[in-house]
């Protein structure tokens, strides 16, 4: 939402101040479609050349994610902490083998069933079950588990950050592509050097629109979207990292309450629930 608000502010201030200061909007409007075709067409082409088909397919979803923000809220962190508490409690009292039925069939599990949003999220659900399954196969060395989970999280981060980096590369190229459009306009102007000054003035103004649009698109639109998307990816990565913190803390021999508290401390400050919130949520969860 803030991206849309920011975009309106950027465009309103840039074009509004131009018109308010007496700028002639006519040459700008008449030249803009052709300059945009040159700049955006070249930008799309460079994006296609520099990225895989997977990155291209993820672009619409990435833009949507940047606009909507992280899918995980404060209540989602509370639910995840509550789920991990009950899992750790069951593993402490009955052993990891008691979790086998829940791990193999999360959809039919009474533990996962108490937290339907987590159960119905294939990515987070499989991440939890995979490492609980490993722990059930005697992979209980906390340092080894920490390294393995950390490696997967780093791999996920590299893959998710590819699109923000790709958009940032396009942003870096846009000013130069704007200059390309401007140079083409200058070439067109020089080919008509015999025309009256008033016509040449309009043609030069049209050529400069290319430089203007390249810079505006780069620093006013594409770069902020790339930065915001990268921020959302990092925010969502902390949700999975919470699982790692709690699982490793449990394997180190901590009580379920302590393991969950260690995980809670790893949550970003603006999303971190209080100790009382987690305690109340754990008590209220209907886990059979």
């Amino acid at each position: 939402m803030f991206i849309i608000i920011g975009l309106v502010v950027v465009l309103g201030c840039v074009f509004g101040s131009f018109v308010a200061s007496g700028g002639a909007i006519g040459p700008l409007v008449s030249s803009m479609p052709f300059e945009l075709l040159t700049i955006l067409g070249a930008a799309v082409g460079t994006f296609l050349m520099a990225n895989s088909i997977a990155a291209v397919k993820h672009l619409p979803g990435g833009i949507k994610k940047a606009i909507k923000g992280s899918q995980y809220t404060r209540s989602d962190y509370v639910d995840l902490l509550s789920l991990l508490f009950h899992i750790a409690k069951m593993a402490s009292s009955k052993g990891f083998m008691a979790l086998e039925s829940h791990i193999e069939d999360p959809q039919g599990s009474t533990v996962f069933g108490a937290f339907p949003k987590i159960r119905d999220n294939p990515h987070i659900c499989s991440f939890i079950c995979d490492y609980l399954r490993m722990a059930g196969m005697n992979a209980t060395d906390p340092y080894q588990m920490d390294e393995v989970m950390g490696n997967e999280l780093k791999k996920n981060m590299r893959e998710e950050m590819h699109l923000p980096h790709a958009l940032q590369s396009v942003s870096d190229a846009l000013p130069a592509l704007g200059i390309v459009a401007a140079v083409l306009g200058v070439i067109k102007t020089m080919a008509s050097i015999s025309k009256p000054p008033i016509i040449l003035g309009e043609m030069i103004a049209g050529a400069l629109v290319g430089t203007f649009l390249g810079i505006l698109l780069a620093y006013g639109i594409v770069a902020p979207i790339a930065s915001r998307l990268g921020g959302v990816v990092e925010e969502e990565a902390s949700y999975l990292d919470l699982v790692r913190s709690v699982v490793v803390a449990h394997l180190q021999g901590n009580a379920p309450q302590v393991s969950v508290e260690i995980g809670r401390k790893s949550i970003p400050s603006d999303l971190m629930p209080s100790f009382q919130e987690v305690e109340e949520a754990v008590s209220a969860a209907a886990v059979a």
Side-chain angles (χ1 to χ4, degrees), residues 67-181:
I67 295 173
K68 293 182 64 177
S70 174
Q71 61 178 308
Y72 302 121
T73 63
R74 188 188 189 94
S75 63
D76 292 320
Y77 280 95
V78 173
D79 285 347
L80 183 56
L81 286 170
S82 300
L83 170 64
L84 294 173
F85 170 82
H86 289 290
I87 288 174
K89 183 179 179 181
M90 184 178 295
S92 296
S93 60
K94 301 178 182 179
F96 278 103
M97 294 304 297
L99 296 171
E100 184 176 358
S101 60
H102 302 283
I103 296 170
E104 299 303 330
D105 183 21
Q107 295 298 319
S109 166
T110 54
V111 176
F112 283 93
F115 308 96
K117 191 171 181 180
I118 298 175
R119 179 198 61 196
D120 297 336
N121 185 327
H123 185 48
I124 183 66
C125 190
S126 63
F127 185 80
I128 295 172
C129 291
D130 285 348
Y131 286 102
L132 291 177
R133 189 178 293 110
M134 286 180 61
M137 293 186 291
N138 293 325
T140 55
D141 183 338
Y143 300 104
Q144 182 184 41
M145 185 67 79
D146 188 26
E147 182 179 3
V148 174
M149 297 182 80
N151 287 338
E152 180 172 354
L153 292 175
K154 289 176 183 177
K155 180 200 70 173
N156 292 343
M157 178 64 78
R158 285 196 303 270
E159 293 173 352
E160 291 293 326
M161 286 299 291
H162 177 74
L163 185 56
H165 291 157
L167 288 174
Q168 185 58 53
S169 297
V170 171
S171 172
D172 294 339
L174 279 169
L177 295 177
I179 293 174
V180 169

Side-chain angles (χ1 to χ4, degrees), residues 1-254:
M1 180 59 70
F2 279 106
I3 282 187
I4 297 176
I5 295 173
L7 180 61
V8 171
V9 171
V10 168
L11 296 180
C13 289
V14 169
F15 290 100
S17 64
F18 178 73
V19 173
S21 63
I25 198 69
L28 191 64
V29 173
S30 61
S31 301
M32 195 175 294
F34 304 103
E35 301 295 330
L36 282 175
L37 178 62
T38 301
I39 298 168
L40 292 181
V44 170
T46 57
F47 183 84
L48 292 175
M49 286 189 289
N51 296 279
S52 65
I53 186 63
V56 175
K57 289 181 178 178
H58 289 161
L59 180 60
I63 301 300
K64 182 179 179 181
K65 180 183 288 189
I67 295 173
K68 293 182 64 177
S70 174
Q71 61 178 308
Y72 302 121
T73 63
R74 188 188 189 94
S75 63
D76 292 320
Y77 280 95
V78 173
D79 285 347
L80 183 56
L81 286 170
S82 300
L83 170 64
L84 294 173
F85 170 82
H86 289 290
I87 288 174
K89 183 179 179 181
M90 184 178 295
S92 296
S93 60
K94 301 178 182 179
F96 278 103
M97 294 304 297
L99 296 171
E100 184 176 358
S101 60
H102 302 283
I103 296 170
E104 299 303 330
D105 183 21
Q107 295 298 319
S109 166
T110 54
V111 176
F112 283 93
F115 308 96
K117 191 171 181 180
I118 298 175
R119 179 198 61 196
D120 297 336
N121 185 327
H123 185 48
I124 183 66
C125 190
S126 63
F127 185 80
I128 295 172
C129 291
D130 285 348
Y131 286 102
L132 291 177
R133 189 178 293 110
M134 286 180 61
M137 293 186 291
N138 293 325
T140 55
D141 183 338
Y143 300 104
Q144 182 184 41
M145 185 67 79
D146 188 26
E147 182 179 3
V148 174
M149 297 182 80
N151 287 338
E152 180 172 354
L153 292 175
K154 289 176 183 177
K155 180 200 70 173
N156 292 343
M157 178 64 78
R158 285 196 303 270
E159 293 173 352
E160 291 293 326
M161 286 299 291
H162 177 74
L163 185 56
H165 291 157
L167 288 174
Q168 185 58 53
S169 297
V170 171
S171 172
D172 294 339
L174 279 169
L177 295 177
I179 293 174
V180 169
V183 169
L184 290 176
V186 171
I187 293 172
K188 179 182 176 183
T189 302
M190 296 305 294
S192 305
I193 196 68
S194 61
K195 292 186 178 180
I198 188 170
I199 296 178
L200 290 177
E202 290 184 358
M203 295 179 71
I204 292 172
L208 292 176
V209 170
T211 303
F212 159 71
L213 288 176
I215 296 173
L216 178 62
L217 289 170
Y219 301 114
I221 299 178
V222 179
I225 291 176
S227 178
R228 178 56 185 147
L229 179 56
V232 172
V233 169
E234 292 177 354
E235 290 175 25
E236 293 187 346
S238 65
Y239 193 70
L240 283 177
D241 190 59
L242 173 58
V243 178
R244 181 194 62 80
S245 298
V246 175
V247 170
V248 171
H250 174 73
L251 293 178
Q252 288 173 334
N254 293 292

